[in-house]
Amino acid sequence: MGTTGKTSIGRPGRLAALAPGAVAGVVAAAILFGVAELLAAFIGPRSSPLVAVGSTFIDFTPPWLKDFAVATFGTADKLVLFISMAVVATVGAALAGVLAVRRFNLGATLVLALAVLMAVCVATRAGAAATDILPTLLGTAAGLAALRNLVSKAPKPNALGLPSPIPAPVPEFADSANRRPAAPPVASTTAPGRRAFFATAAVLAATAVVLGVGGKALSGIRGAAEKVREALKLPAAAKPAPPLPAGVQAPVDGVGPFVTPNADFYRIDTALIVPDVDPSQWKLHVHGMVEKEFYLSFQDLLDSQLIETHVTLTCVSNVVGGNLAGNAKWLGYPLREVLARAKPLPGADMVLSTSIDGFSASTPLPILQDGRDAILAVGMNGEPLPLEHGFPVRMVVPGLYGYVSATKWVVDLEVTTFAQKEGYWTSRGWSSHGPIKTASRVEVPRALARVPAGTVAVGGTAWAQTVGISAVQVQLDGGPWQEATLAAEATVDTWRQWSHSFDSVAAGSHNVRVRAVDAKGQLQIEQQAPPQPDGSTGWHNITFTTT
Ligand SMILES: Nc1nc2c(c(=O)[nH]1)N[C@H]1C(S)=C(S)[C@@H](COP(=O)(O)O)O[C@H]1N2
Ligand SMILES: [Mo]
């Protein structure tokens, strides 16, 4: 266009005509969320519409998508969610703005509809209070005011997307024949109006950023739990963990540490914002099918006979060879003692543990009473639980995947039955019971690594919590299975490292496979299966190159 002298408004012209509306919409949305984030800093993070919408989205994520997100993005899945939400919000806001420029009420209706959706998300979150919708309401009011103001300043297009004032009509048919000069470009017709409009938009956008960033900074200050946590001194265990035997670490460079440092411990949960729980306010409600219902305070726990135990936690979403597993020394109070005090009634077969943010897990009652180190944990590797790992109290149950046992920020234990209740992930297509399956993985060499030919050191980790590992076998290029050397065992509830070396490995591409045998003599399942519905199976293998 342009070069032929044609008058038709080409694509860039039409897009330019949409720009003021789109900008007005996006800036108004920024004001909406900026005001909401600032207010949420005072009312509480749960009242942030962004957090509430994201959390609701997570709750309604179908299992295949959750699986895909964890498999593809791992622990960055939440960041990806926020980025996707930002993209969707920007497109929606631009659309509302474009509509508003044409007919304000149309755009405003779209904004209101989205605001109602956000308010519903906020109001239906676990533990929501009536005041929690204030940031959404007041943010929306501010956003609409900004939209109104910007729209009144926006250069007005007509229904065709032409800039106004509308240029003299040019009949299409006469056009090419007459070779009349092209209509002036969109920008030049309304330059002063455009400049005023964009100046206002820029000021409002900057205001929104200040509000939003200020809100985020304030809510950072408001997070009281971290300060309390830093000052907290946990008591020593009445029954300390036995010292780790020498040689729990396989003697191969690159195998992960036997005890996972807190900062490196995998994190999987549905919490978009880490719950900020003040231990002095925390209490645990123990109730349901029990003779005696009661509450436990944090101080009650600290005053109890705490035990210390090494337990390897595993996520059901871990794929073969994956790293959603971690091993820590936990400090806590045995759940069997809690249950002994509550006295479950006959017929009960499950404990539903619920987090302050609404997540729940169904744990078989007998497992919590069978003598294993199932605890209400307060400490992790010698520190209070990190906030992301459940501060101030979480559950840790050896032998069960996290989704049916490891409730973080736990506040409620209901003794019930599998027939009556189900946990968060069970209602989303995962199995109601989740015993951990025996697994093993190669950590050295790394997949696709290049190592010198000759002697090749291999090593990794295997686990069969509550049973223990009795053997690990490795295979090079489909050859005979060979016994790996097992590192020392800490307890049957922890993973066990292994190592081996293959001699005279020729230059070229190679494949190494691993499989474990548990202490009952049961061979790890060879059949490949995905994580859903009750944990992946299959023997891990990696390919590497020798040079
Ligand atoms: N409150 C809460 N607790 C939770 C979850 C959650 O989403 N919310 N996820 C569970 C799952 S699926 C796993 S695997 C473990 C992970 O614990 P971690 O993040 O400390 O490694 O926590 C469990 N506890
Ligand atoms: Mo998990």
Side-chain angles (χ1 to χ4, degrees):
M1 80 229 50
T3 51
T4 63
K6 254 177 102 92
T7 321
S8 69
I9 299 291
R11 261 186 166 279
R14 195 164 288 173
L15 281 181
L18 294 179
V23 167
V26 171
V27 170
I31 288 284
L32 188 162
F33 289 115
V35 168
E37 285 309 303
L38 183 68
L39 291 172
F42 296 98
I43 296 178
R46 267 193 321 242
S47 68
S48 152
L50 287 174
V51 167
V53 171
S55 306
T56 305
F57 184 84
I58 290 176
D59 288 352
F60 285 101
T61 301
W64 63 265
L65 183 56
K66 182 250 182 185
D67 226 21
F68 167 82
V70 171
T72 315
F73 309 116
T75 42
D77 55 349
K78 291 188 179 98
L79 180 64
V80 173
L81 172 65
F82 267 125
I83 293 171
S84 317
M85 278 172 49
V87 170
V88 171
T90 306
V91 171
L95 180 66
V98 167
L99 289 175
V101 166
R102 276 147 191 80
R103 267 187 58 198
F104 182 75
N105 285 347
L106 222 55
T109 306
L110 180 58
V111 173
L112 283 174
L114 295 174
V116 167
L117 201 72
M118 291 193 289
V120 168
C121 289
V122 171
T124 53
R125 297 310 302 159
T131 47
D132 284 350
I133 58 166
L134 281 179
T136 306
L137 292 186
L138 298 176
T140 302
L144 281 176
L147 187 63
R148 167 117 253 166
N149 180 285
L150 283 169
V151 162
S152 71
K153 296 197 168 92
K156 275 273 174 314
N158 67 9
L160 291 172
L162 289 165
S164 79
I166 300 162
V170 181
E172 281 288 324
F173 59 84
D175 208 3
S176 48
N178 293 352
R179 306 241 163 229
R180 292 174 58 167
V186 171
S188 64
T189 48
T190 53
R194 279 180 88 85
R195 223 170 291 132
F197 166 78
F198 282 111
T200 310
V203 169
L204 284 174
T207 309
V209 169
V210 170
L211 291 173
V213 170
K216 275 274 156 272
L218 274 175
S219 51
I221 296 167
R222 194 182 164 281
E226 185 55 50
K227 281 214 188 61
V228 178
R229 178 185 176 274
E230 272 159 23
L232 186 66
K233 270 255 162 274
L234 292 177
K239 181 173 159 262
L244 290 174
V248 289
Q249 187 71 38
V252 176
D253 258 8
V255 173
F258 180 77
V259 173
T260 315
N262 290 355
D264 300 339
F265 207 95
Y266 80 98
R267 173 187 168 201
I268 290 286
D269 54 56
T270 60
L272 259 191
I273 37 153
V274 176
D276 191 66
V277 184
D278 179 348
S280 68
Q281 307 294 313
W282 179 90
K283 55 187 184 326
L284 179 73
H285 189 194
V286 184
H287 65 111
M289 297 171 66
V290 294
E291 274 179 37
K292 192 167 169 289
E293 169 178 347
F294 59 92
Y295 286 87
L296 277 181
S297 71
F298 191 64
Q299 196 56 48
D300 291 337
L301 276 187
L302 297 192
D303 294 342
S304 306
Q305 301 276 298
L306 302 183
I307 68 163
E308 215 177 32
T309 177
H310 284 93
V311 176
T312 298
L313 227 63
T314 314
C315 181
V316 70
S317 295
N318 196 43
V319 293
V320 171
N323 55 11
L324 298 181
N327 183 43
K329 183 172 75 178
W330 307 95
L331 172 72
Y333 186 57
L335 277 153
R336 65 173 171 278
E337 306 289 352
V338 176
L339 291 165
R341 188 173 151 200
K343 297 196 175 67
L345 298 174
D349 64 3
M350 188 257 270
V351 173
L352 188 74
S353 52
T354 305
S355 155
I356 195 158
D357 69 353
F359 169 89
S360 60
S362 58
T363 311
L365 175 62
I367 280 183
L368 299 177
Q369 299 173 310
D370 72 2
R372 72 182 75 187
D373 287 342
I375 56 172
L376 286 172
V378 295
M380 181 176 184
N381 291 330
E383 294 173 21
L385 293 176
L387 263 54
E388 317 81 70
H389 294 290
F391 184 80
V393 184
R394 75 174 303 167
M395 289 189 21
V396 170
V397 182
L400 299 181
Y401 287 122
Y403 83 107
V404 288
S405 69
T407 305
K408 304 190 271 190
W409 316 287
V410 64
V411 291
D412 192 284
L413 294 183
E414 180 182 2
V415 178
T416 178
T417 65
F418 279 101
Q420 288 176 62
K421 293 277 165 86
E422 52 183 15
Y424 183 95
W425 286 113
T426 305
S427 58
R428 288 162 176 79
W430 296 74
S431 175
S432 59
H433 291 60
I436 296 174
K437 295 173 180 175
T438 299
S440 56
R441 68 182 182 207
V442 180
E443 294 169 27
V444 177
R446 299 247 166 256
L448 307 180
R450 303 177 73 84
V451 298
T455 300
V456 174
V458 293
T461 307
W463 56 81
Q465 289 93 326
T466 72
V467 178
I469 292 289
S470 65
V472 167
Q473 297 155 355
V474 284
Q475 182 192 50
L476 185 68
D477 300 329
W481 285 96
Q482 304 180 29
E483 293 296 324
T485 304
L486 290 177
E489 176 177 77
T491 78
V492 292
D493 295 334
T494 56
W495 57 22
R496 192 157 181 191
Q497 298 194 347
W498 59 268
S499 58
H500 189 67
S501 69
F502 292 111
D503 297 323
S504 322
V505 181
S509 175
H510 300 280
N511 188 273
V512 59
R513 249 195 335 166
V514 64
R515 65 185 190 189
V517 180
D518 76 15
K520 290 180 179 159
Q522 200 70 45
L523 180 64
Q524 180 185 342
I525 298 168
E526 177 178 10
Q527 173 86 35
Q528 295 281 335
Q532 232 212 318
D534 59 2
S536 62
T537 58
W539 296 342
H540 185 218
N541 77 91
I542 60 113
T543 297
F544 64 96
T545 305
T546 44
T547 52

